[in-house]
Amino acid sequence: MNGPRTLVVMGSQTQGLLLKLLLEERGVETVCVEGIEPALAEIAGTPQDLLIVEGELAGPTGLAELRARTDAAVIVLGRGPGESDPSDPKAVVETACALIERRSAPPTAPEIFRRARILIVDDSATYREFLRAELEQEGCTVTAARNADEAVAALAGGALDCVILDLVMPGTSGTQLCERFDRFRRQRGLFFQIVILTSQDDEEQLMISLNAGADDFVGKGQTMDVLKIRLMALLRRKYFVEDHLIRLPRVAPSA
């Protein structure tokens, strides 16, 4: 089963197995454990979409530790404010499925941009700051570099989602820099996207740029809306791979 994953943390094995049965009837892969330590071990080994935790069993400290170890949604079972009634397992399952559905819905453009960490590489201070302002207005976190050395230093810091690279750079071509960035991410197993931004918007330059490792190519003559929508499409694909595909179990090589 490769659907959404839920971890049930309850002291009662019977109640835990009942929730597991009801959830798996709805297509939700479910594992039950009876304490915080096995729950933490399960989280460390397998990413989860949702935790259903008995509040009294976990206590405030246990709940805080579970939340610190995962970005999964959490349903707390108990009688307090904001908690779900453990005596109504069908209602708990309905709440769980609704949460999972919301989390698996396609992200909106604002959600994608708020998550984005972008490096702009352009020797023109005017255009660099124009791009920064436009992208920060969308909610992106933006770093700017004037040349290849500053760009490589920014990349070495990690945690970037996309590089927007001007094709014409002093001392090196954007194509050469693109090749360098592509080698950098391959050698380090990184997954940032590379977008070439240029006034040389023709088919030959498009082919050269894509062969150099660029993921997209946008002419400066295009509107800012075109750049943003293509950037959003690249980021959406990147986040999908990071959030979903990399969680699939690896198939062991055949003997």
Side-chain angles (χ1 to χ4, degrees):
M1 189 183 295
N2 288 325
R5 300 187 182 113
T6 293
L7 177 63
V8 176
V9 186
M10 296 192 71
S12 167
Q13 188 177 50
T14 302
Q15 287 182 302
L17 289 175
L18 176 58
L19 284 175
K20 174 180 170 68
L21 175 64
L22 293 172
L23 285 163
E24 291 189 341
E25 285 178 350
R26 302 284 290 270
V28 180
E29 183 179 348
T30 306
V31 172
C32 298
V33 297
E34 298 178 25
I36 297 301
E37 290 305 319
L40 293 171
E42 189 69 31
I43 289 170
T46 308
Q48 303 293 326
D49 297 289
L50 176 68
L51 306 183
I52 300 176
V53 184
E54 184 181 351
E56 188 173 342
L57 172 70
T61 302
L63 283 170
E65 190 166 4
L66 288 171
R67 286 190 167 109
R69 300 288 185 90
T70 178
D71 62 355
V74 179
I75 294 176
V76 180
L77 301 180
R79 308 288 183 178
E83 298 180 341
S84 295
D85 186 352
S87 67
D88 190 353
K90 290 185 177 179
V92 172
V93 168
E94 289 299 325
T95 300
C97 290
L99 274 174
I100 290 170
E101 186 174 351
R102 281 205 299 273
R103 286 174 65 87
S104 61
T108 63
E111 288 170 340
I112 290 172
F113 284 130
R114 283 196 298 268
R115 180 174 171 178
R117 301 151 301 177
I118 296 174
L119 171 64
I120 298 169
V121 187
D122 197 310
D123 64 308
S124 167
T126 302
Y127 197 73
R128 197 169 60 236
E129 292 309 310
F130 166 70
L131 277 182
R132 182 204 289 272
E134 286 285 338
L135 294 174
E136 286 182 343
Q137 186 176 0
E138 297 293 338
C140 304
T141 300
V142 180
T143 303
R146 298 172 295 176
N147 52 46
D149 290 341
E150 289 185 1
V152 171
L155 287 176
L160 287 171
D161 297 304
C162 185
V163 177
I164 300 176
L165 173 62
D166 184 22
L167 189 62
V168 180
M169 297 286 294
T172 183
S173 73
T175 302
Q176 290 172 325
L177 198 50
C178 182
E179 291 174 337
R180 185 176 176 184
F181 290 171
D182 188 43
R183 286 195 302 271
F184 183 94
R185 66 183 175 181
R186 290 176 185 278
Q187 290 168 354
R188 290 162 176 77
L190 301 174
F191 192 44
F192 60 82
Q193 304 292 284
I194 302 173
V195 177
I196 292 285
L197 191 61
T198 177
S199 55
Q200 301 177 28
D201 190 4
D202 58 66
E203 185 175 325
E204 181 182 2
Q205 192 58 61
L206 167 65
M207 294 176 66
I208 291 171
S209 298
L210 295 181
N211 282 328
D215 300 288
D216 205 350
F217 177 96
V218 182
K220 288 186 176 180
Q222 300 278 2
T223 67
M224 182 55 57
D225 286 342
V226 170
L227 172 62
K228 288 179 181 178
I229 199 70
R230 293 173 77 164
L231 180 60
M232 183 195 70
L234 284 175
L235 292 169
R236 181 174 57 203
R237 181 176 62 192
K238 176 183 188 292
Y239 298 150
F240 176 76
V241 171
E242 289 177 340
D243 296 342
H244 298 282
L245 296 187
I246 61 174
R247 298 173 55 182
L248 296 177
R250 294 184 179 181
V251 178
S254 57

